[in-house]
Amino acid sequence: MSNVIERPRFTCAMGGAIGTVQALPRAIPILHTSPGCGGNLAGALSGASGYHGGSYCGGQTLPSSNVAERDIVFGGEERLAEQIENTIKVMDGDLYFVVTGCMVEMIGDDVHRVVKDFKGGEHPVIGTETTSFKGNSYKGYDYVLQALFRDFTQPALVKDAKTVNLFGIVPLQDVFWKGNIDTLKALLQKLGLTVNTFFGTGETIDNLRYAASASLNIVLSEVYGQDAAQTFQQVHEVPYITVSLPIGDHATTAFLQTVGKAAGVDQAIIDQVIFQERAYYYEFLQRLSDSYNDLDFQRYATVVGDANYAQAVTRFLADDLGWLPELAIVTDPLLPEDEAKIKASFAGFHSGLTPEVVFDTDASNVIKHINRHWPQSNGQRYYDGFVPGFIAGSVMERDVAEQLKVPLLAVSYPITNRVVLSRAYAGFQGALTLTEDVISLLVSHR
């Protein structure tokens, strides 16, 4: 029997699919599900993602079939077809994507058959199954991308050697997704590459439609986007590489080296871009050095986050900021082979630190892991405690931070105590922003 996850940090697969579709430019999700799903998921997505809102067509404006008792008894495919027709009439979009809830999957509605009836029409309609029993929001992201790569992205006989696709950052589930995507895209453009991110600022649905002309796919995660990359490779014969989400000098330098070599960029250009970015980075970071040492800003840290952020933030704190993030708690439910990949990504820190990596989905266990790693005082005069400490996690760690009297910076979903617009933590520029946020919290707690 499966374990019950106490206070999960993600939605069902349909929630992830909705967030992914509504993040695409002028794409409209169409929900085929029972009443209530859309409203509940809109709140979970928008409110817990730094107050993201509904974008072009999301939030409380999501079109839904709202299947009723009659549809459950006799089947809801006719109702879905009606909903698609009405949505196209009422809502102006460049892509319509049907996602499904649990109820219609249990009664056997065939979304592919319904969508097929709209093939060849003026408006592209795609669909896929996204029920909760098929995974969480991260899987919903993969399901959507796989369907789009199979059924929407057009084949390309000729590949552009300087064009790449970048994915693996899950919109809304990564609260800083927009800023992170734009930041990394700008970095790769400095290497002379044309970059499709599908969700980035200024991109259109054509970036996705003609993505098969790329010569390389870059997946920014050991877990998320991997299935989609494999589908892309099978359908469009575009190879892919996997790199971790980069934050700060050491990780971003490795990111640029890896991507640059895989994309065939001249080494001199790679070195020049890295030199310029590092010069800019340290020009600002060095301004902090006197205060950092005089006021003793170094801290022990616990990092709580998903498979992308736990590793990225831990590495940044250790390698760039000189902190001691000795404990990292990965909150995703992962397969054993995925856990092994994530754990391996915590190796080889430049600082020499080897953090303890724990996989635990339950928010209530965070305090237990901290107390185990840094035992509480039993009256002895000297002991290794979580002091001075810092937690980088989500709003679910607020009570833990208050109990331990340490600052908390919310960097991973859910985030309800900050408004996030274009903020980014990736790359060199994002690392400066993260440094400001981290040190500002210490100053405000003095």
Side-chain angles (χ1 to χ4, degrees), residues 132-153:
S132 62
F133 49 79
K134 296 187 69 173
N136 57 23
S137 48
Y138 299 105
K139 295 298 291 184
Y141 167 79
D142 256 317
Y143 294 148
V144 168
L145 287 188
Q146 286 179 279
L148 289 169
F149 293 158
R150 282 194 309 262
D151 303 329
F152 183 75
T153 300

Side-chain angles (χ1 to χ4, degrees), residues 6 207 219 228 277 328:
E6 183 261 332
N207 290 89
V219 187
E277 292 296 316

